[in-house]
Amino acid sequence: MATPTDTAVVIGAGIAGLSAALRLSHAGLRVRVIDMHDAPGGKMRTLPSAAGPVDAGPTVLTMRPVFEELFAEVGERLEDHVTLHRETVLARHWWADGSSLDLFDDAERSAEAVRLFAGERAEAEFRAFSARAGRLYDGFDAPMMQSHAPGLLELSAHVFRHPGLIRDMAPLKTLAGSLAAQFSDPRLRQLFGRYATYVGGSPYRSPAILGLIWRSEANGVWRVEGGMHRLAQALHDLGAKFGAEFSFAERATRIEQQDGRVSAVHLQSGERLVCNLVVFNGDPKALYEGRLGPGVTHAVEKKAVLPRSLSAYVWAFAAQAKGCDLSHHNVFFGTDPKSEFDDLAAGRMPHDPTLYLCAQDRGDGIPPKSPERFEIIMNGPAGRIPDAKEAQICQTRTFETFQRLGLTFSPRPETTALTTPAEFGRLFPGSDGSLYGRSPHGMMAAFHRPKVRSRVPGLYLAGGGVHPGAGVPMACLSGRHAAAAILSDRASTSTSRRTAMPGGMSTGSATMGKRRSPSSAS
């Protein structure tokens, strides 16, 4: 029989919660996963359309080894559970002047494309930028992303042991300022500046180090056959195989404590789940605001959840597209990048937005169906008070922008296909509609994010609002960090108990690393 110390409740079935639940159930713990939504995935969600379920959340899968490692840790293979297709074209980029640029999963092809797009000087600048991004990515992967709790002193020591990183980091510059010094062509500055939005920030206020995001994308982009939600479903199914129990359309209302430690989770249905381990895979701001009870408001600091990152206006629909030769991932740039982020900083919908378009049914060598499934993302401000006409304004602004750039949709989607920042706030309590947790603005932002161990014993954190940050691979890593912290703390407690007993005898042994069979789920 499992003891109370073997019981974990995971609140939230996003990628981080699923990652933690899979690892913990495989290690032999009793795991119960609670989610207020009807299906696993969290922000990795789908909406119905005339052409079938369409992604309405993340669409880009990078850092494949993170997911291969997750499946391998539980004795499985990623490719046995989801089918991934590597995209030759990372993204197709479009500008109002009629120019376009493809970037590829091959560095030489990308450099050649940049030369044809903007000349030999631009090619040389691109090669230098790519090399710099690679050094930053390699330099900070182990001590930052792969570490469950990076400290400023340890990271500073790492940088001083590798002084070249200081120059590459450009610590006194924003991403926009750094790109201005690296690229003479404003279109390339605009293109690589958009990577700040991957973590919910503005290139004019985010640190230059975010240029390393280019390397994670250049290392490969994969399309999940059937849509991104298939990955979430695969993790759910595998967790269930190892004994994890899942309850959907069920809301956690309070985390109970006894003697200063987590002791139970209360559900809206009235059920009380006895446990002494909780993984919270929601926005940490929900804890700070007391949405899980007054006893855990001190679990995270104010600076760990404020200020907020960006939100988005997201369209998910099916239609016939005409006028542009679309790739799977497409970016249509606004004419003035600065005005977009000025609007966002002021809490306004952008007047001149950059629009991301995922043509879900297009990929390498795949002819499009009709109608096709599309997802469109426009950056939006978090915490926005909805206007009665907001959806109609967004519809006009979005599709008139595409029309000016030569792309039309038939039929044009109704506003029912739109998710606004305010609606994201309702879907993910405590988030204010922010999709990426705390803002990435400022050099110290990464150190202000919550770590996996909260201030409440037995309460662990995971998700895009937690270290190492936003994005599907980062959320998966945070789930790994949370599970590892639980198993490490549990092993340490078990060792202490054995040491304290007369003669060194033990009442039991830790199950870290033990594979649990489906039949041992009781």
Side-chain angles (χ1 to χ4, degrees):
M1 290 287 293
T3 67
T5 56
D6 293 323
T7 304
V9 173
V10 179
I11 303 174
I15 287 298
L18 294 169
S19 168
L22 175 55
R23 288 176 161 99
L24 293 175
S25 59
H26 177 264
L29 278 71
R30 297 176 66 178
V31 177
R32 176 87 173 265
V33 183
I34 306 298
D35 196 285
M36 62 182 288
H37 301 293
D38 294 332
K43 295 184 181 73
M44 190 179 286
R45 63 197 188 106
T46 62
L47 292 176
S49 80
V54 56
D55 284 332
T59 62
V60 179
L61 185 69
T62 59
M63 298 176 66
R64 176 173 175 160
V66 168
F67 302 96
E68 291 177 328
E69 176 191 50
L70 169 58
F71 281 82
E73 283 183 18
V74 298
E76 301 282 339
R77 298 193 312 162
L78 173 65
E79 57 268 31
D80 290 337
H81 296 271
V82 292
T83 301
L84 302 181
H85 300 279
R86 182 163 181 146
E87 296 286 0
T88 301
V89 177
L90 301 177
R92 184 160 291 161
H93 307 86
W94 311 79
W95 283 267
D97 64 3
S99 59
S100 63
L101 172 66
D102 286 358
L103 293 176
F104 299 92
D105 66 344
D106 177 87
E108 288 302 314
R109 285 192 69 186
S110 288
E112 173 68 10
V114 170
R115 184 183 67 79
L116 295 173
F117 174 73
E120 293 182 357
R121 178 181 178 182
E123 177 191 0
E125 292 168 342
F126 170 75
R127 289 182 182 276
F129 168 74
S130 293
R132 181 178 189 167
R135 292 191 298 269
L136 287 170
Y137 184 92
D138 294 339
F140 288 99
D141 182 31
M144 193 69 181
M145 290 182 282
Q146 302 294 333
S147 172
H148 74 278
L152 183 58
L153 291 178
E154 294 84 355
L155 196 64
S156 297
H158 172 77
V159 170
F160 282 115
R161 288 194 299 270
H162 304 85
L165 289 175
I166 299 176
R167 180 185 65 254
D168 291 333
M169 288 169 59
L172 300 180
K173 291 183 177 180
T174 63
L175 178 59
S178 173
L179 293 171
Q182 294 182 75
F183 288 105
S184 55
D185 192 303
R187 295 170 299 177
L188 295 176
R189 296 198 294 266
Q190 186 178 20
L191 189 161
F192 292 108
R194 79 183 181 88
Y195 286 106
T197 66
Y198 277 31
V199 292
S202 161
Y204 299 95
R205 300 178 65 190
S206 298
I209 194 172
L210 291 186
L212 64 79
I213 296 175
W214 160 243
R215 173 47 66 95
S216 70
E217 191 163 280
N219 284 343
V221 169
W222 282 266
R223 171 171 40 87
V224 182
E225 188 171 299
M228 290 285 284
H229 68 285
R230 291 289 181 88
L231 177 60
Q233 189 64 51
L235 293 177
H236 164 274
D237 294 347
L238 199 51
K241 172 184 174 181
F242 290 115
E245 298 178 44
F246 292 83
S247 298
F248 294 104
E250 183 70 87
R251 186 189 294 261
T253 58
R254 183 164 70 91
I255 298 173
E256 179 185 331
Q257 296 179 71
Q258 290 183 8
D259 300 323
R261 183 180 179 87
V262 164
S263 58
V265 172
H266 292 254
L267 305 183
Q268 194 171 43
S269 63
E271 189 176 1
R272 177 176 177 267
L273 307 179
V274 177
C275 63
N276 78 332
L277 298 169
V278 172
V279 178
F280 182 69
N281 176 210
D283 196 303
K285 188 167 171 285
L287 297 171
Y288 177 77
E289 292 180 342
R291 292 172 183 262
L292 276 299
V296 293
T297 56
H298 66 291
V300 296
E301 298 179 279
K302 180 178 180 179
K303 67 180 181 181
V305 297
L306 294 172
R308 305 302 288 164
S309 61
L310 295 177
S311 185
Y313 297 88
V314 177
W315 296 89
F317 63 98
Q320 184 176 6
K322 293 181 179 180
C324 291
D325 182 17
L326 299 171
S327 184
H328 189 72
H329 301 292
N330 308 268
V331 182
F332 291 79
F333 288 106
T335 55
D336 180 4
K338 185 66 164 58
S339 73
E340 175 182 12
F341 293 101
D342 286 344
D343 282 341
L344 293 169
R348 299 187 297 261
M349 182 192 305
H351 285 80
D352 182 21
T354 286
L355 299 171
Y356 165 78
L357 169 65
C358 177
Q360 185 174 328
D361 296 309
R362 301 199 187 202
D364 294 335
I366 299 178
K369 299 184 295 184
S370 185
E372 301 178 60
R373 292 172 292 178
F374 295 102
E375 180 180 357
I376 298 168
I377 301 176
M378 176 202 293
N379 292 318
R384 178 180 171 85
I385 299 174
D387 185 294
K389 297 181 180 179
E390 181 179 40
Q392 292 179 342
I393 294 171
C394 184
Q395 182 191 53
T396 300
R397 200 162 290 176
T398 299
F399 295 99
E400 286 188 357
T401 297
F402 279 125
Q403 191 166 352
R404 287 197 303 271
L405 295 170
L407 179 63
T408 60
F409 296 91
S410 179
R412 178 179 289 191
E414 300 294 333
T415 56
T416 52
L418 173 66
T419 305
T420 66
E423 288 169 324
F424 279 119
R426 289 190 288 269
L427 286 169
F428 304 104
S431 69
D432 289 340
S434 169
L435 297 178
Y436 313 90
R438 190 197 189 278
S439 166
H441 296 162
M443 274 300 296
M444 299 303 295
F447 296 98
H448 292 324
R449 278 184 177 272
K451 307 301 188 293
V452 294
R453 289 184 176 91
S454 80
R455 291 176 162 187
V456 175
L459 174 58
Y460 300 80
L461 309 177
V466 178
H467 171 78
V472 177
M474 297 296 102
C476 186
L477 282 174
S478 78
R480 185 188 78 181
H481 294 332
I486 287 173
L487 296 175
S488 174
D489 293 348
R490 183 167 165 267
S492 297
T493 301
S494 178
T495 299
S496 298
R497 288 174 177 168
R498 288 198 303 270
T499 303
M501 292 191 66
M505 295 181 65
S506 170
T507 58
S509 60
T511 59
M512 180 166 52
K514 175 184 175 183
R515 178 165 180 166
R516 187 180 186 191
S517 68
S519 60
S520 65
S522 60

